Amino acid sequence: MHICVVGTGYVGLVTGACLADFGINVTCVDKDEEKIAKLLDGEIPIYEPGLDSLVEKNARSGRLHFSTDLAPAIQQALAIFIAVGTPPKEDGSADLSYVVQVAEAIADNLNGYKVVVTKSTVPIGTGQLIEKIITERESEAHPFSVVSNPEFLREGSAIADFMRPDRVVIGARDAQAVAIMKDIYSPLYLLETPFVITNVESSELIKYASNAFLATKITFINEVAELCDRLGADVHHVSRGMGLDKRIGPKFLHPGPGYGGSCFPKDTQAMSEIARKAGRPFEIVDTVIEVNNRIKERAVERVQEAIGEDFNGKTVAVLGLSFKPETDDMRDSSSIPLVTALVEGGAKVKAFDPVAMDNARGMLPEAVQYCEDSYDAAEGADAMIIVTEWNQFRSLDMERVRSSLKQPVVIDLRNLYDPKRMKDQGFRYSSVGRAAEDLPGE
Ligand code: UDX
Ligand code: UDX
């Protein structure tokens, strides 16, 4: 079987490489010639653990191909996966222009029955839009079927999430398309992975509702953390006590500086827009968006509480720029508003991130200084802020940090360290939701 995947971003490249690993002949197409040239050279344009060896193995076995030429790839494929970006527009709704371009190219190259699969997160109704475009544009009335097959990949664990998903969701209108999709995913079908077979609109909504719910859960614990700060409670004890209830579960109950990334901010905005256009505003999601923005601003206040309102003349070390560990992705990272506010407030910012600094350069103020490592960033700083919970930040030599800092101030937005131990080591240490002074020993 031949498959074409359009778009070799985080979603498209992982999808293409994993489907090739299922034994399918896959051609990944992208309009970005530089990206394709890199891939043909065996270079992976994004940071995703394990992706380089998976691409190399399948390219070498002749199952995975890369091209900028969409027409032949469509003609030879039985299924075309659309994995192009769906970035937010000004009004928060998803920009579908790339999806439309691909649908038009499919219409122009239909030469037999094909399954057109939306892998990108697309608003409810996009399946219908694609059907309309192809039906109206195709020169001959070739049969085709549009399927929604949303991705639930987390950056940094995308391959594992693809190979061992909690579920495969297939939204389709006819049995033939479902049969082909089950064939494509047969390695998972045989693994007893649950398949949710539904209609296109329900499948599209499953994706948005899932991401919106996860964003809500994170925002919920972030508000609980703020309450802990005021009530002298410990948010990790509260989170553990909540998460042991199987109806709640422990995942996505970690407080921090607000969620970021290429999905939650975009998908909550799009969910809000879809609901509004449907005449029934999604009030919880609207509130989650608002609160998450306030949580990001709260990070700046925490720095002001630690080193004073006026950042002029202050030097601040920032550890972690990517929106989460194990990725170089800076899209909507919480580090962006924080670093911008520090620089605009007159601070000198010395930043370090293990992999995201190249991407950060285009998204942070010019004045930011990029450092060699955590200690280089701490050198001569009035405070050190931990923004992203990279593992290498979990076991810093605190003696060395304290002697590098001008003042022993650490603001830990990911609660990597123990407040009592940090105080015993002479730091003025602040973190999120851990105001309890009287925790009994375990
Ligand atoms: C994005 C969204 O982040 C995700 O929520 C959605 O589910 C899928 O689209 P991602 O893979 O991160 O996922 O997209 P991005 O990193 O923006 O890459 C999209 C790729 O498609 C880019 O390489 C771009 O060059 C390519 N593209 C875009 C095309 O090949 N043709 C187009 O017409 C438009
Ligand atoms: C998310 C969804 O998890 C995935 O299913 C979907 O397909 C794409 O969007 P991703 O955006 O890659 O994946 O990262 P994720 O691990 O979900 O983290 C998103 C944001 O939430 C990050 O900024 C992270 O720091 C934050 N987060 C996550 C928390 O602050 N607390 C948590 O407990 C979990």
Side-chain angles (χ1 to χ4, degrees), residues 244-261:
L244 285 167
D245 181 324
K246 292 206 177 9
R247 295 167 302 173
I248 298 174
K251 298 265 190 211
F252 279 56
L253 278 180
H254 310 294
Y259 61 75

Side-chain angles (χ1 to χ4, degrees), residues 6-13 29-32 35 46 70 82-87 97-99 101-102 119-122 151 155 207 211 262-263 266-267 329 331:
V6 189
T8 58
Y10 287 95
V11 172
L13 191 52
V29 179
D30 200 303
K31 66 178 181 181
D32 182 331
K35 215 176 247 190
I46 53 174
L70 193 45
I82 302 176
V84 294
T86 52
S97 56
Y98 299 133
V99 172
Q101 282 170 28
V102 176
K119 194 67 177 165
S120 298
T121 305
V122 292
E151 46 87 14
E155 291 179 29
K207 172 65 190 179
N211 268 8
S262 70
C263 294
K266 170 177 72 65
D267 295 351
D329 198 341
R331 288 180 282 189

